[in-house]
Amino acid sequence: MKLIALVKSVRAHPTLREIIGPLQSRSFQHDFVPRDPKAKPKKYKYPAFYDPYGPRPPPSDKIIQLAERIVALPPEERKQIGPTLSEKLRHPKLQTISVEGMDLGPQGGATAGAAKVEEKKEKTAFDVKLEKFDAAAKIKVIKEVRAFTNLGLKEAKDLVEKAPVVLKQGVTKDEANEIIEKIKTAGGTAVME
């Protein structure tokens, strides 16, 4: 009896299909609209240059008058504006860039010749370079390298195995000669650069 009442109540309620209606389906609709082959391409108007801060307001009348006064000055006085302004505004002075050691080629001119004359002066700092070593004396060479470079055993071994390699840079001539002698007695060949 209860079963019949349950079936009647379920039939009395409308089904989900009756509430919503027939199944709704949607086929794929792309957003891309094909271009008309006869249409001409759009022409965009680009600015002369890109300004990330956007358009700037026009200069004030004061600035325009100042610019006109500067233009009216003779060239000798115009050359004095830059240094005077930087002095008044306390801008740091620009440092000259050294071209020593740069190969400027034939266009170097007189400054390149002056730099070469300066190079002929006596060197005060030298580099010691390990050229080669005997395989039997490798351990002795590593010990000597450790003594004057303050490297660990592994680092000194790796350095020696990379020969030819610069062992020490910026040493005096006497110190470089001592290092070369020590490496020579240990069984290696070192040179001063």
Side-chain angles (χ1 to χ4, degrees), residues 1-192:
M1 191 75 162
K2 290 183 180 180
L3 183 63
I4 295 172
L6 181 67
V7 171
K8 285 183 182 178
S9 68
V10 168
R11 285 188 184 169
H13 293 297
T15 61
L16 189 63
R17 188 169 201 176
E18 290 171 356
I19 295 171
I20 298 175
L23 269 178
Q24 297 178 359
S25 65
R26 185 172 176 198
S27 60
F28 175 71
Q29 295 176 350
H30 53 44
D31 294 336
F32 175 74
V33 179
R35 191 174 65 86
D36 182 17
K38 295 176 185 173
K40 293 184 179 180
K42 292 180 183 177
K43 291 187 178 180
Y44 296 99
K45 189 173 183 180
Y46 294 108
F49 62 92
Y50 174 71
D51 187 2
Y53 304 108
R56 296 183 187 185
S60 66
D61 292 336
K62 254 187 187 178
I63 302 297
I64 292 173
Q65 289 172 2
L66 185 62
E68 287 172 357
R69 287 179 59 191
I70 290 172
V71 169
L73 290 174
E76 301 86 32
E77 291 180 5
R78 259 189 267 158
K79 289 179 186 175
Q80 297 172 0
I81 291 174
T84 309
L85 268 177
S86 63
E87 184 181 309
K88 289 283 186 184
L89 298 173
R90 296 189 178 132
H91 284 276
K93 290 186 178 180
L94 297 175
Q95 300 292 325
T96 56
I97 298 172
S98 172
V99 292
E100 186 175 331
M102 290 186 202
D103 182 22
L104 299 175
Q107 71 271 19
T111 56
K116 288 181 182 177
V117 170
E118 288 177 17
E119 281 183 27
K120 291 182 182 177
K121 291 181 182 176
E122 178 117 10
K123 271 178 93 175
T124 55
F126 297 91
D127 298 341
V128 178
K129 184 177 183 181
L130 176 68
E131 290 290 321
K132 58 184 177 180
F133 60 91
D134 295 331
K138 181 178 177 182
I139 295 171
K140 291 179 184 176
V141 173
I142 292 171
K143 285 182 181 178
E144 285 300 324
V145 168
R146 281 189 68 197
F148 63 82
T149 59
N150 298 326
L151 291 174
L153 181 63
K154 185 178 183 317
E155 291 85 9
K157 178 180 176 269
D158 292 342
L159 187 68
V160 169
E161 288 176 346
K162 289 180 186 175
V165 67
V166 175
L167 296 176
K168 198 150 186 179
Q169 295 178 335
V171 294
T172 63
K173 192 171 188 177
D174 297 332
E175 192 178 347
N177 285 329
E178 286 178 28
I179 294 170
I180 290 170
E181 285 301 317
K182 287 180 181 177
I183 290 177
K184 193 174 188 180
T185 55
T189 307
V191 294
M192 187 175 10

